[in-house]
Amino acid sequence: MKVLISNAGSTSLKFKLFNMADETALCDARVERVGSLDSAIFTYINLQTGAKKRLEGLSVPEYTDGINLFLRELTGENGVLEDIDEIEAVGFKTVIAQKFLGDHELTDEVMADLARGARIAPAHNLPYIEAINVFKRLLPSARMVGAFETDFHKTVPFERQVYSVPYAWYEKYGIRRYGYHGASHGYVAERIASLTGGRARRVISCHLGGSGSLCAILDGKSVDSTCGFSLQSGLPHSSRAGDIDPYIFPFLLGEGLSAEEITRGITKNGGLLGVSGVSGDMRDLETAIAQGNERARLAVEMYLHAIIAGAGALYAVLGGLDALVFTGGIGENSAMVRARVCHALAHLGIELDEAKNEGAHERRISRDGSPAEAWVVPANEEINVARRVAALLRRG
């Protein structure tokens, strides 16, 4: 069974093709700067031979062009397929359709709810809708499957899902905490169980990247998360505000700002970027701090406090901690962030090994004998989605 996983961003496309007979990854590719007429970049790697191809300065005005670019490569000189029809399914890390929390074939009904969910996650749902429709045209014999990010959190007890708002809002509009980054947290749950031989029952997964959240995992299942109704919640993100007092919105309306200006401020110009005024990228911020930029330092301190406070709250929910896991772009690559978080949570039993903390590969970074372990687990959302797609296909 060949399953293609596609990740659609506002200006990018990522692809990974798996042979699910043995879960072998066959190739990996990405198209950057979708929408450009002269500066798009295409990168393709045949994971079986190691052959690489990189093209720059391309014209990729639409998703159709980027997807066609990739599909042609699959049967080309460095391809891994003889015929494009070998792809039985295309899986998508879809974000939210309020009526569909699990893994679903992308029927007209599911697509309609995905479109409705674009009001909650416009930056995510709209690119996926466009990419899905393109794949439906280009691969009509393949099944299209959405592995929704909210699925992993459906095991969270209901009292942790509801908001303290009129209950009719939940019944009529679906206002509740959904939780996100489920593919990443779900992979962490599987991987940390394997790495620790099952001894890590109480786990806090820290998905830290351009978008981020913490998840409390008990015996492999999500029991709480820092994300809520939308991806604008929880930790400060690269350019999204995360949790803020909801009354800020009507207050600023009264000060003369428009709803559009306020929404743009908390979704596009907030988070690390908004506070630092420099960048939403942790690498840039660490450089700026080294150069004495105080607002960059303030942004990072704010971010670290949110992680530490969130982990403390999830520790209380779990009633203890066996493993703290870092994943995502920041979680995997920023030794500074990991060190600061681990030192602040030392009272929870984490004893960091400073030497092991350097680097970006999968490993335990706590000292031998540490009461609670700390780990780095590189994100592998694609295999999580591929497994879910394959399971759905096998069920018929």
Side-chain angles (χ1 to χ4, degrees), residues 3 159 266:
V3 173
E159 66 272 14
I266 62 178

Side-chain angles (χ1 to χ4, degrees), residues 33-54:
R33 301 175 185 170
V34 175
S36 170
L37 297 179
D38 58 8
S39 62
I41 302 169
F42 174 61
T43 308
Y44 174 91
I45 304 174
N46 182 323
L47 298 173
Q48 304 302 292
T49 65
K52 297 181 181 180
K53 183 175 185 177
R54 180 180 172 89

Side-chain angles (χ1 to χ4, degrees), residues 276-290:
S276 72
V278 173
S279 173
D281 190 308
M282 184 59 67
R283 294 166 294 187
D284 296 337
L285 294 176
E286 290 189 35
T287 299
I289 291 170

Side-chain angles (χ1 to χ4, degrees), residues 129-181:
I129 290 169
E130 185 173 348
I132 291 163
N133 286 330
V134 171
F135 271 111
K136 283 186 174 185
R137 292 197 305 270
L138 298 180
L139 295 177
S141 64
R143 295 170 67 179
M144 303 291 142
V145 178
F148 284 90
E149 285 280 70
T150 49
D151 180 60
F152 185 62
H153 303 291
K154 64 187 180 185
T155 53
V156 173
F158 188 56
E159 66 272 14
R160 299 173 194 168
Q161 297 180 25
V162 295
Y163 281 111
S164 53
V165 297
Y167 192 72
W169 292 3
Y170 162 72
E171 296 176 306
K172 187 173 182 179
Y173 306 113
I175 302 299
R176 47 157 284 201
R177 296 170 56 86
Y178 287 98
Y180 293 93
H181 307 112

Side-chain angles (χ1 to χ4, degrees), residues 39-262:
S39 62
I41 302 169
F42 174 61
T43 308
Y44 174 91
I45 304 174
N46 182 323
L47 298 173
Q48 304 302 292
T49 65
K52 297 181 181 180
K53 183 175 185 177
R54 180 180 172 89
L55 301 173
E56 300 183 17
L58 303 178
S59 175
V60 183
E62 297 180 354
Y63 283 99
T64 300
D65 305 290
I67 293 170
N68 264 322
L69 189 64
F70 168 68
L71 293 179
R72 285 195 297 270
E73 200 66 34
L74 284 179
T75 56
E77 182 182 351
N78 293 321
V80 293
L81 299 179
E82 291 187 7
D83 192 303
I84 206 70
D85 287 336
E86 292 179 48
I87 300 174
E88 294 185 42
V90 183
F92 303 89
K93 188 169 61 73
T94 41
V95 176
I96 183 167
Q98 288 175 283
K99 297 177 184 177
F100 301 94
L101 300 184
D103 307 322
H104 300 274
E105 195 149 358
L106 294 167
T107 62
D108 290 345
E109 183 184 7
V110 178
M111 291 298 290
D113 206 43
L114 195 64
R116 181 173 179 268
R119 294 174 57 206
I120 303 170
H124 303 79
N125 276 27
L126 293 176
Y128 271 112
I129 290 169
E130 185 173 348
I132 291 163
N133 286 330
V134 171
F135 271 111
K136 283 186 174 185
R137 292 197 305 270
L138 298 180
L139 295 177
S141 64
R143 295 170 67 179
M144 303 291 142
V145 178
F148 284 90
E149 285 280 70
T150 49
D151 180 60
F152 185 62
H153 303 291
K154 64 187 180 185
T155 53
V156 173
F158 188 56
E159 66 272 14
R160 299 173 194 168
Q161 297 180 25
V162 295
Y163 281 111
S164 53
V165 297
Y167 192 72
W169 292 3
Y170 162 72
E171 296 176 306
K172 187 173 182 179
Y173 306 113
I175 302 299
R176 47 157 284 201
R177 296 170 56 86
Y178 287 98
Y180 293 93
H181 307 112
S184 178
H185 294 308
Y187 176 73
V188 165
E190 295 172 357
R191 187 63 185 149
I192 199 66
S194 175
L195 289 169
T196 65
R199 68 176 178 273
R201 296 183 53 242
R202 299 166 298 182
V203 177
I204 296 175
S205 171
C206 304
H207 176 89
L208 307 177
S211 179
S213 66
L214 309 184
C215 179
I217 299 170
L218 180 62
D219 293 330
K221 296 180 179 180
S222 172
V223 295
D224 209 349
S225 167
T226 56
C227 261
F229 176 70
S230 77
L231 277 156
Q232 319 301 333
S233 59
L235 303 177
H237 307 270
S238 175
S239 60
R240 300 197 299 269
D243 281 347
I244 60 172
D245 187 326
Y247 213 72
I248 290 173
F249 203 107
F251 174 80
L252 290 177
L253 282 174
E255 292 294 304
L257 271 69
S258 68
E260 182 180 350
E261 288 174 312
I262 300 168

